[in-house]
Amino acid sequence: MVTILVGGQWGDEGKGKIIDLLSENASMVIRSQGGNNAGHTVVNAGQEFRFHLIPSGISDRAHLIMPWHPILDKLEEEQRGDDRLGTTWRGIGPAYADKIRRIGFRAGDLLKPRFLEKKLGFVLSKIKNPILQELYHVAPLDPQAVLAEYTAYGERLGPHIKDIFPIVQDALARRDRVLLEGAQGSMLDLDFGTYPYVTSSSPTAGGALTGSGIPPTAVDLTMGVFKAYTTRVGYGPMPTELTDALGEQIREIGVEYGTTTGRPRRVGWFDAVVARYSVALNGIGSIALTKLDVLGEFDPIRICTGYLNKGELVSFPMSNISHLKHSEPVYETLSGWRSSIADVRRPEDLPKAARRYIDRLGELSGAPIDIVSVGPSRDQTIWMQGGPENLAVRQQQEGRARQR
Ligand code: GDP
Ligand code: IMO
Ligand code: MG
């Protein structure tokens, strides 16, 4: 039984909390893309954990961040000047570029010191150091020091590095519950996001499959996590952005500061154009809506239902980002509920206006909302259609429908 979990917006939707909830019933959790650019917060028994990558088991095919990647990430960003992307400086772009260029280092390489030495001799001495020195005029890296550092990682991590293909395939054959843990969000997707203001991986359902070696036919359900409003860290178009006091207020109440970099997140109303696009792009069959509690004080509340581009109504995020940047969001206005819902646990206890907002978001997005999150901790969760068991039934139905 395979569930893919993806972020439906620009990241930081609250995936960490939902993954923590769903992983209770999973026998295997796989991170199949991205890296330590991600920051996933899990609040458990009053303790807060901020995870970037959980080193529980490592595929020998996983690509490594090498010491030159963060250096080059930063240098490239500086060179872009005003057109910089606002990356996390973790080296993700350079590492993915090297993967595609076939000069990447994989976890399996750590277990082969002689091979590692030879490869460093080529990649570091012949490619990376000349770039550092001649292009950027910064100090080169010492291949022997890098070799010593990464060989030591190999010694420590060795027992956890495996070819995961047979392990995952066996789990599929047993119909074990496998959860694919997404990082980032669909609008940061390298192909379908707001290129070039994206990350360098594919945080979509498609990317989850290529990263894990799981075939599309094995997927039972794709769950999309959406925040009840929109946030974005870094640069690039965000049609519903609020740059006024209202935006500031939502940022403060929602504590919208980056988990990885501490940067203030840009904030705006829920963008149903983005949500509809994400649902279609990923085949989302179930939605987890997070941070609804944050909107408790706001009245009215707006939802973007379309964009006006040169007087024409557009119902999807256009690939041309300058058109997207200059398009005007069209809003629908709903009344707020002006009360705290942080202690609500059952759908019937939600204020009517909150219920209307949830229903409308589901309608506009095109997928049912199964989970509503009203606070960071595990118990601040409302199961809208009868709990985890019901989700499993939906999963089976979706899986069967697809196989037909
Ligand atoms: P992720 O990257 O998608 O895992 O999300 P982050 O962890 O970067 O950001 C989400 C933030 O919102 C974290 O600080 C969570 O603890 C918090 N959070 C998650 N769900 C809720 C919720 O329903 N209400 C509130 N108030 N906070 C939440
Ligand atoms: P989680 O998993 C939000 C953003 C960066 C930048 C762009 C490219 O916590 O949702 P990168 O370092 O990946 O090359 O930066 O992508 N970004 C994220 N934004 N949440 C994330 O992860 C992100 N990971 C990358 O801010 O705009
Ligand atoms: Mg995050």
Side-chain angles (χ1 to χ4, degrees), residues 12-216:
D12 303 324
E13 296 89 350
K15 297 178 294 294
K17 167 174 168 168
I18 306 299
I19 291 158
D20 176 57
L21 270 181
L22 299 185
S23 61
E24 205 172 343
N25 296 313
S27 54
M28 185 182 282
V29 181
I30 306 176
R31 226 340 248 291
S32 46
Q33 45 71 227
N36 60 338
N37 48 348
H40 295 178
T41 315
V42 173
V43 180
N44 178 4
Q47 245 190 313
E48 185 182 276
F49 300 90
R50 293 170 166 213
F51 297 116
H52 301 289
L53 270 179
I54 305 180
S56 43
I58 303 172
S59 162
D60 61 359
R61 289 182 175 86
H63 277 256
L64 302 171
I65 299 284
M66 300 303 287
W68 51 88
H69 291 142
I71 298 174
L72 290 170
D73 196 353
K74 208 171 166 182
L75 288 169
E76 279 176 27
E77 277 282 89
E78 279 165 9
Q79 259 199 349
R80 283 176 186 265
D82 286 347
D83 293 327
R84 66 192 181 280
L85 308 176
T87 76
T88 58
W89 287 353
R90 295 298 183 274
I92 301 301
Y96 267 102
D98 282 358
K99 170 182 171 178
I100 303 293
R101 226 181 134 186
R102 295 166 297 187
I103 54 169
F105 287 73
R106 309 203 296 180
D109 298 347
L110 296 175
L111 308 178
K112 302 180 286 185
R114 291 245 288 283
F115 175 78
L116 195 58
E117 183 172 15
K118 191 164 169 237
K119 195 160 165 182
L120 278 169
F122 165 55
V123 176
L124 181 53
S125 306
K126 298 276 193 314
I127 302 177
K128 300 299 173 181
N129 271 344
I131 290 176
L132 290 173
Q133 285 176 283
E134 285 159 39
L135 197 60
Y136 292 109
H137 310 291
V138 298
L141 291 158
D142 172 11
Q144 283 309 316
V146 176
L147 179 66
E149 182 186 343
Y150 279 70
T151 310
Y153 294 146
E155 281 161 13
R156 272 174 64 193
L157 297 172
H160 307 287
I161 299 174
K162 292 260 164 17
D163 185 342
I164 60 129
F165 186 79
I167 302 173
V168 172
Q169 295 297 318
D170 284 351
L172 297 183
R174 287 194 302 266
R175 296 284 288 154
D176 281 359
R177 284 172 186 275
V178 176
L179 176 62
L180 298 181
E181 164 184 357
Q184 287 81 49
S186 302
M187 294 308 289
L188 289 172
D189 181 75
L190 187 55
D191 291 283
F192 286 91
T194 49
Y195 189 88
Y197 298 95
V198 292
T199 190
S200 290
S201 70
S202 304
T204 51
L209 299 182
T210 54
S212 63
I214 292 178

Side-chain angles (χ1 to χ4, degrees), residues 12 227 229 231 247-257 265 267 291 293-295 298 376:
D12 303 324
K227 203 177 274 190
Y229 46 96
T231 62
E248 184 63 30
Q249 222 180 331
I250 300 177
R251 172 163 42 248
E252 292 313 311
I253 296 173
V255 200
E256 295 297 351
Y257 292 89
R265 294 175 183 145
V267 171
K291 303 193 88 159
D293 54 303
V294 173
L295 297 182
F298 298 91

